[in-house]
Each structure stands twice: as structure tokens, then as C-alpha cells.
Amino acid sequence: VSEIYVLIVSDLKKAETMVPANYTKEPYARNGVNIAVSQGAVKATLAYVYMAMAGWPLNKGTEYYQLAAAKAKEVIDASKKGTYYYKLLPDYKQVYSMEYNKNNPEVLLGVYYNLGIDALTNAPLADFLADYAYGGGGWGDTNGEIKFWYDFPEGSRKDASYFPKIILKNETKLRDWWEDPNPEAPRVVVAPCFMKKVETTTGEEFDYTNPKISMNQNGEKKHQIIRLAEVYCWYAEATGRAGEINDQAVKVLNEVRNRADGEDTDKYTTDMSPDKLAEAAYDEHGWEMAGYYWGGIASRARDMFRMYRYKDHFESRKLNEPIEVAHDVFRKEAVAVTGTWDDSKMYVPYPYEDVILNPNLDNSWKN
């Protein structure tokens, strides 16, 4: 693992000197944004790599959190000065909207698609459950954990991340996600469901209140690899985990939270301890990225991995205690977690079929 990280860091340090701050000509720039990898994208990637190295399994600690904070600060400072054009959109619902699909000033690195030339994401149906209406139902692979939804702060970010209401197949009625109206044919999965990747066949914004909206499996929403809001969270978290706190770290974290709340709450202050700042930034990043697994460099799962939090989560999921999601309405996860923890569960095993074809693929993580 350490040798792989040495190579990654070496490549990124070279890339920092090889790519420009901004591109000006197609196909490297389009609609006023960088299409190709830019300097800011490289620096942001390096910041998160340092955070990963600071955590599990290398556990390099404070020194690497300081490196991560310094590199994230370079991106933030250059954006504030105008060297980079990056800025937060004012409303969270704009972040994954079709309105800003091709010219989002918050995206440092994205993979762009175009229906007109048959370059398709092949993903739009993935963001809702199979028993929903909306053009025939989705793939059913993007429901979120109930406790995470329960802990998610109310506000515009939550409303834009999950279906605020749902419509089931063969219905027109808006329901809460926890409803299961037919006891004789209960729903297979009753869970909150994300809708960041959903789009229509004609390019307009997805409308969850319209059960007949036109959908198919092809679309052109870009994959957002890194956003500026993430860099803000990484800077605040790395600063706190290095045992420090400063005005800038608190300020940028408040920018993220204020947008999420839809008002200037300024929830975070320099009176916080560094540990509380770090945990607040960790949580904010999780809520910022909730349900977005299509290519993002730092998913919630990746954050949990570097902080070695899979084990505690594993034990919690084994208990699977019912959660009161509404007055006197309790729901728990449909998928059971069983077994005894060991660190091999930190990794996804090689697929069985591949191991059969190639015995050199060893699933023993200790090797």
C-alpha cells in the first residue's frame, strides 16, 4: 500500500507543474469551465490523498493532515483570488441540476457526456427504487441507510439529495418513503432514496411529483469527481485533525453548512475544539456527497475507510435496531448484516469468477 501511495504522490506532484490553472480552447475548455484536468483538480486530489495517507491503513497522522490542509488551502486561496474560477453555487439544488450540468463553477474535475454524439452515462435510472413510478421504475440500487437519513440535517441539501416524497408504481399519490400501503404485497425495500443522478430523456429537470415523467437508462449528467465544497470540508477536517483551528477553516465550513441550511446560520465557531471541527467537517462532507457514488473521488465509504469506521458501522448494522422515522412509525434495514468482524472486511474481495480464471488473484488480504 505504501509503495502505491508513493507512486500516486509522485505523479500528482509532477502533474501540478504540467497542467495550467485554466484552459481556454476546446476540447480542454467549454462553456467557461475546464473539461480537462487542471491545476486546481490536481492539488485537490493531492490534498485528499494526503488525508487518506494520514488515516488507515498507513496512519501517518498529524504530519500528513498538515500536508492535506496546506494543499487544500492552495486551492481555496487561488479560488478566492480569482486565479481559479471555482466558487460555490448559491443553492444546493443547483449542484446536480441540469441547469448547471455543463457549466458548473463548483466542479474542479468532472467527466462530461453528450447525448448528441451518443456519449451517454447509462446511469439515470439508478437513483430510485424499482417500485417507484417515473417511467417504469429504477434499478433499485441507490437507496440510503435509514439512520444516515435520520441524522441528516433538514434543509435544502437534504431535500435535493433524497426524494422528498415518492410515487409508487400504478399510483399518482405522493407518499413518504416509509409508507408500505399494501400488507398483502409488501414492498421489498422500504428506505430513503437518493435522486442526484436522476434525469429525463429530454434534458429538463427531474420532477418527482410527476409519475409519468419520461425516463430511460441513458443520460448526459456529468460525473462530478471533485467539487469545491469538498475541498472546503477537507481543509477544515485536516486542520482539525492536525490539532489546529483557524478562522479560514471555520469560515469555509460555515459556507458549506449555510448553503445546506438555506440561511446564514454560521453554526461553527473558533470556540470549537480542533477535534469537534474535524468531526463537523467529516459529517458535512458525508452529507454533501450523500448518495453520489458515480465517480466521486471521496465517497462517504472512502471517508469511513480512512478513519477506520467500518468496524463500528458493521456492529451497528448487525444490531439493526428499528428507527422511529415518523410518529409511531419504525423502520429498519431490509438487508441483514451477520458474522464476526475482521479487517479483511475493510476490502472488497476479488470476484469469485475472476479468481477461478486467474488463481494469482489472492483474496487473502494479509498477503
Side-chain angles (χ1 to χ4, degrees):
V1 174
S2 60
E3 291 177 359
I4 294 170
Y5 272 113
V6 167
L7 177 61
I8 293 170
V9 171
S10 173
D11 282 353
L12 289 170
K13 285 184 173 180
K14 290 176 183 176
E16 269 189 293
T17 68
M18 297 169 64
V19 297
N22 295 295
Y23 295 91
T24 58
K25 297 180 180 179
E26 293 198 27
Y28 309 106
R30 188 174 296 150
N31 301 313
V33 297
N34 294 322
I35 302 296
V37 178
S38 66
Q39 187 183 84
V42 175
K43 289 178 181 292
T45 303
L46 187 52
Y48 195 74
V49 168
Y50 284 144
M51 290 182 71
M53 296 175 75
W56 199 88
L58 298 183
N59 296 314
K60 289 183 175 290
T62 299
E63 178 187 355
Y64 275 74
Y65 283 127
Q66 290 172 334
L67 289 171
K71 195 55 63 176
K73 188 176 188 301
E74 290 180 26
V75 177
I76 294 168
D77 288 348
S79 299
K80 297 293 186 185
K81 288 192 301 185
T83 304
Y84 304 153
Y85 61 79
Y86 310 118
K87 63 180 180 180
L88 298 190
L89 289 165
D91 191 331
Y92 189 86
K93 72 180 180 181
Q94 298 170 315
V95 175
Y96 296 98
S97 68
M98 293 305 296
E99 177 186 6
Y100 286 97
N101 186 44
K102 296 181 180 179
N103 61 339
N104 191 329
E106 188 168 334
V107 174
L108 277 70
L109 183 62
V111 180
Y112 293 77
Y113 298 84
N114 192 318
L115 281 171
I117 57 172
D118 206 31
L120 310 174
T121 68
N122 198 34
L125 292 186
D127 268 10
F128 55 97
L129 294 177
D131 62 358
Y132 286 13
Y134 314 115
W139 291 344
D141 63 351
T142 338
N143 52 294
E145 287 190 343
I146 296 170
K147 187 176 187 306
F148 186 82
W149 170 89
Y150 183 82
D151 291 338
F152 201 121
E154 299 296 329
S156 61
R157 180 171 59 187
K158 188 172 187 176
D159 289 342
S161 297
Y162 296 94
F163 281 78
K165 296 282 187 177
I166 64 170
I167 301 177
L168 297 176
K169 278 185 178 179
N170 303 316
E171 292 190 355
T172 58
K173 178 182 178 180
L174 283 168
R175 297 183 178 276
D176 292 308
W177 65 260
W178 54 81
E179 294 185 44
D180 197 359
N182 186 358
E184 295 182 359
R187 300 172 61 196
V188 175
V189 175
V190 181
C193 196
F194 297 106
M195 63 172 191
K196 288 180 174 176
K197 199 72 180 66
V198 176
E199 63 184 286
T200 69
T201 56
T202 51
E204 74 266 25
E205 299 294 349
F206 174 75
D207 178 7
Y208 69 91
T209 68
N210 178 6
K212 302 296 185 182
I213 197 162
S214 177
M215 305 287 296
N216 67 19
Q217 70 179 29
N218 296 324
E220 61 178 347
K221 268 195 176 180
K222 69 174 168 291
H223 291 168
Q224 300 184 19
I225 312 300
I226 305 173
R227 289 196 286 111
L228 184 62
E230 293 186 87
V231 181
Y232 285 3
C233 292
W234 299 340
Y235 175 59
E237 183 184 347
T239 298
R241 298 211 190 280
E244 304 167 11
I245 193 166
N246 60 55
D247 290 339
Q248 188 177 25
V250 171
K251 182 178 183 299
V252 295
L253 192 60
N254 273 327
E255 287 187 42
V256 172
R257 184 54 182 269
N258 289 349
R259 180 177 69 173
D261 290 341
E263 56 183 313
D264 292 338
T265 53
D266 284 345
K267 176 180 174 67
Y268 306 115
T269 72
T270 52
D271 293 333
M272 302 171 69
S273 69
D275 284 345
K276 286 188 175 180
L277 174 67
E279 286 303 302
Y282 174 89
D283 287 340
E284 291 293 346
H285 183 259
W287 294 322
E288 279 289 305
M289 297 305 294
Y292 194 77
Y293 62 101
W294 287 95
I297 198 172
S299 64
R300 173 71 170 179
R302 182 67 222 180
D303 285 348
M304 293 173 68
F305 181 94
R306 62 180 171 82
M307 293 303 297
Y308 192 72
R309 293 183 176 173
Y310 281 5
K311 181 179 180 180
D312 290 343
H313 197 69
F314 177 86
E315 298 300 337
S316 175
R317 282 295 303 270
K318 278 175 63 177
L319 294 174
N320 199 13
E321 295 178 344
I323 295 172
E324 188 173 14
V325 298
H327 178 65
D328 209 27
V329 178
F330 294 84
R331 292 287 179 259
K332 62 180 183 178
E333 301 297 340
V335 178
V337 173
T338 60
T340 303
W341 176 262
D342 65 77
D343 280 354
S344 69
K345 291 181 171 62
M346 294 290 287
Y347 298 96
V348 178
Y350 292 116
Y352 173 77
E353 293 84 355
D354 292 341
V355 174
I356 293 298
L357 292 172
N358 183 0
N360 292 319
L361 296 176
D362 187 352
N363 261 321
S364 172
W365 71 280
K366 291 181 180 180
N367 293 338

